[in-house]
Amino acid sequence: MQYIEKYDTDSEILERIDQLKNEQDYYESDFNVLGLDEEEPDWTEYMGFTYNPHSESTSFKDIFTNNEKAESFLLTSGLEEDLVSSYLNFVEEGKFLLIYDDKSLNRDERRDSVEATIQKGPEEEEK
């Protein structure tokens, strides 16, 4: 099942990603974040998820990272055009979408293996 969650700020997304990684064993690579090209948070450079920018132009970075544009990503996800339009309007307000699915939880490797820990990404220290 695919999940699409709406967030007003990038810090809310970070909290949610950490929660899903810790509670449900998702990896950072399981997530796509959609937002305006100019609103891309600086922490996306070192996180393992994919940022799909919403913009009309293709940047130099898009070519090297193979970032799929937000509209294309939503359309290839099998969503109806009206729903895609609604999500893009939300993003155009400077907000973000977090997209992931539960198919990624069906992995072959052991969750407590070194490889799984590396793929899952760094965890925050508990306070």
Side-chain angles (χ1 to χ4, degrees):
M1 174 178 209
Q2 184 178 51
Y3 301 97
I4 301 176
E5 300 176 0
K6 297 178 176 181
Y7 293 95
D8 293 331
T9 66
D10 59 336
S11 61
E12 293 173 330
I13 292 173
L14 279 176
E15 289 176 24
R16 180 65 172 148
I17 288 173
D18 282 339
Q19 178 188 20
L20 290 167
K21 284 172 35 181
N22 292 323
E23 294 176 5
Q24 297 184 28
D25 265 348
Y26 280 96
Y27 296 168
E28 288 178 359
S29 59
D30 297 330
F31 301 103
N32 284 71
V33 176
L34 281 63
L36 290 174
D37 193 22
E38 61 270 11
E39 296 291 328
E40 182 176 358
D42 58 357
W43 44 260
T44 61
E45 296 293 325
Y46 61 88
M47 298 284 290
F49 63 84
T50 302
Y51 189 80
N52 300 96
H54 179 50
S55 72
E56 300 299 321
S57 62
T58 301
S59 71
F60 193 64
K61 180 180 177 185
D62 292 335
I63 295 169
F64 279 103
T65 60
N66 292 322
N67 281 355
E68 184 177 10
K69 296 294 185 185
E71 182 175 11
S72 176
F73 177 81
L74 290 171
L75 288 171
T76 58
S77 294
L79 300 174
E80 294 181 17
E81 287 188 35
D82 289 346
L83 191 53
V84 169
S85 180
S86 173
Y87 283 137
L88 291 176
N89 288 336
F90 180 79
V91 169
E92 287 169 358
E93 296 173 4
K95 299 177 183 180
F96 301 92
L97 296 174
L98 176 65
I99 302 175
Y100 59 99
D101 63 51
D102 55 9
K103 292 179 199 169
S104 57
L105 295 177
N106 299 327
R107 292 183 177 68
D108 290 335
E109 71 264 4
R110 287 189 8 228
R111 300 229 183 259
D112 60 347
S113 70
V114 173
E115 292 82 9
T117 303
I118 291 169
Q119 287 183 10
K120 194 168 184 182
E123 295 184 22
E124 284 188 12
E125 290 183 27
E126 293 190 27
K127 297 175 186 176

